[in-house]
Amino acid sequence: MATDLTDFGNWLAVPSVVCLWAAVLLRAPGALRSPQQRGLWLAVATAAAAMTLNLPDVVSYAMSRGPGYAHTIGLVRNLIGVLSAGAVLFFVAATTRGRRLQRTACVATVAWLATLVALDVAAPDHGTHTMPPVGDPVPSLAYWLVLISAHVVANIVCVALCSRYSCRTESRGLAAGLRLFGLGTALAGLFWLAYLLKALFGSTWAMPALPLLMNLHGLLRAAAILVPTLFTLRRTCADIATTWRLWPLWRDLVEAVPHVALNKPRAWRVMELLWPPVPRNLLVYRKVIETRDAILILGEYVAPGALEEARGQVTGHGVPEQRATAAALARVLKEARQAKLDGVPGQPGEAAALELPAAIHTSQEGGDLADEARFLVDVAQAYAAPATTRK
């Protein structure tokens, strides 16, 4: 059982490292521009580097090159690991705006690194750094205690603060990232606590699980750093879907009231998505604003009471109120558009006769644009249905 656990953990090493590096590369452009994300990115990047040097194949290759080469790889791996622990503290401090903790993280990291180098130089000639199942740690017990202390302290502080602030933040993305990062850090903390038990008491019962703990930690940290990308992707997909559904209604209304549109409608709506005329993150906003403006203008071509009459024709058939309102609005919009295209004179000042639902005004009053977009999607669906044409 223990052997199977170790084998599975070792098998997970390469996927974990690949996921870490993929996350690091994907997030590099945005993270390096954002002070709040820079510490997290650095923590994951250094963890990826340390775990790369700890891959079984890399360790075997280093050992085959001789004791001196293996020693260099081991020392560099440990130093990068301590740098990762310091970056973890810095990330948590930056997220929680703890300037004192940021300074403490920097000072402690430098002290840990300098102490490790000094202890390595003071130790007798040795090869790779290791803590064998039997025998003394290499290069020394003091070296390993300093290394373990750096990771344990950083991990405990990180888990505590991630747990606290993930419950306080109103940002779902930040909360998810903190929880994933905190969980991954907790697994890394268990990894180093097992090494501490081995160093102080010679306990080896937890050693078979260490590869699994470390590599699961890598996967969770990769997921944590990708949370903003996943949230952005989800928002982009939602915007694409909303734009696709709004486009037919928007095109018809803009055709009747062209001056409300910032850009002329394209021949095919797929072109609107592949080559948007405005920045992609503003595409839904422009469609909603222009659709609403067109609706307000077409209100001049709607007779007073027409909306209530249309609502009465679609209400009472088990249709939810918002959908009934959307269907009624779609019906009068179709008639108002046709009247405008036929050259029927409008009635300036009578736009209020359309009696636009409150949902149409949300963005003007600082409300939720998403609510307005959802309502207009309902209008667009009803507008495309044959039933919106009055018989």
Side-chain angles (χ1 to χ4, degrees):
M1 182 67 179
T3 303
D4 293 340
L5 193 63
T6 303
D7 291 342
F8 178 68
N10 288 331
W11 175 85
L12 205 59
V14 173
S16 178
V17 169
V18 169
C19 289
L20 277 171
W21 282 117
V24 166
L25 294 176
L26 284 172
R27 290 299 302 156
L32 293 177
R33 290 193 300 266
S34 171
Q36 290 79 14
Q37 299 180 26
R38 203 171 296 151
L40 172 61
W41 182 87
L42 179 60
V44 177
T46 48
M51 291 178 65
T52 300
L53 294 177
N54 200 43
L55 287 172
D57 289 343
V58 175
V59 173
S60 299
Y61 175 76
M63 296 291 289
S64 68
R65 293 288 301 271
Y69 192 85
H71 162 261
T72 301
I73 293 297
L75 178 60
V76 170
R77 179 178 63 239
N78 292 157
L79 294 178
I80 293 175
V82 170
L83 183 60
S84 177
V88 166
L89 285 177
F90 188 86
F91 154 67
V92 175
T95 303
T96 59
R97 296 188 175 96
R99 295 189 179 276
R100 182 177 299 178
L101 182 57
Q102 284 179 306
R103 290 192 293 268
T104 302
C106 293
V107 172
T109 301
V110 172
W112 277 322
L113 292 172
T115 303
L116 285 179
V117 172
L119 290 172
D120 181 77
V121 171
D125 291 340
H126 55 278
T128 188
H129 296 179
T130 183
M131 189 177 292
V134 179
D136 296 330
V138 180
S140 67
L141 177 60
Y143 176 94
W144 276 93
L145 289 178
V146 171
L147 176 63
I148 293 169
S149 70
H151 286 282
V152 170
V153 169
N155 291 337
I156 290 175
V157 173
C158 178
V159 170
L161 293 180
C162 283
S163 176
R164 179 190 304 173
Y165 285 94
S166 65
C167 297
R168 293 183 180 180
T169 181
E170 296 180 357
S171 168
R172 290 190 301 168
L174 179 57
L178 286 173
R179 286 173 185 143
L180 287 170
F181 197 84
L183 181 57
T185 303
L187 294 180
L190 293 176
F191 175 94
W192 288 106
L193 284 174
Y195 264 111
L196 182 61
L197 292 175
K198 172 65 175 65
L200 294 179
F201 309 109
S203 174
T204 60
W205 64 269
M207 302 302 280
L210 297 193
L212 181 60
L213 289 175
M214 181 53 64
N215 292 316
L216 284 177
H217 135 270
L219 292 175
L220 287 168
R221 283 195 173 178
I225 200 176
L226 284 175
V227 163
T229 301
L230 295 176
F231 270 71
T232 299
L233 179 62
R234 188 180 72 170
R235 185 168 57 251
T236 299
C237 291
D239 286 351
I240 289 174
T242 300
T243 302
W244 181 267
R245 293 168 180 169
L246 279 179
W247 192 83
L249 173 66
W250 170 83
R251 178 202 56 196
D252 276 12
L253 299 188
V254 165
E255 183 180 284
V257 193
H259 65 274
V260 302
L262 183 64
N263 303 96
K264 185 178 179 181
R266 304 277 181 84
W268 300 287
R269 59 175 158 175
V270 68
M271 295 177 63
E272 197 83 7
L273 302 177
L274 296 178
W275 298 281
V278 296
R280 192 174 297 278
N281 61 328
L282 296 178
L283 196 55
V284 170
Y285 175 79
R286 288 303 315 171
K287 289 292 178 286
V288 168
I289 295 300
E290 291 168 5
T291 301
R292 183 220 300 144
D293 290 348
I295 289 173
L296 292 173
I297 293 173
L298 289 175
E300 299 177 1
Y301 298 84
V302 177
L307 186 60
E308 289 85 350
E309 181 184 348
R311 187 185 290 113
Q313 295 176 1
V314 297
T315 304
H317 300 285
V319 180
E321 182 178 352
Q322 178 165 313
R323 288 188 177 273
T325 302
L329 181 58
R331 175 172 293 184
V332 298
L333 279 177
K334 187 171 285 189
E335 296 174 355
R337 172 184 177 274
Q338 192 59 50
K340 175 73 165 59
L341 293 175
D342 291 343
V344 175
Q347 303 176 45
E350 296 294 330
L354 193 54
E355 298 179 10
L356 295 174
I360 289 293
H361 297 291
T362 55
S363 62
Q364 283 183 324
E365 299 171 358
D368 188 358
L369 181 71
D371 288 339
E372 184 175 357
R374 280 190 290 270
F375 177 79
L376 289 179
V377 166
D378 289 341
V379 175
Q381 290 175 340
Y383 184 89
T388 59
T389 302
R390 182 179 299 179
K391 298 179 181 180

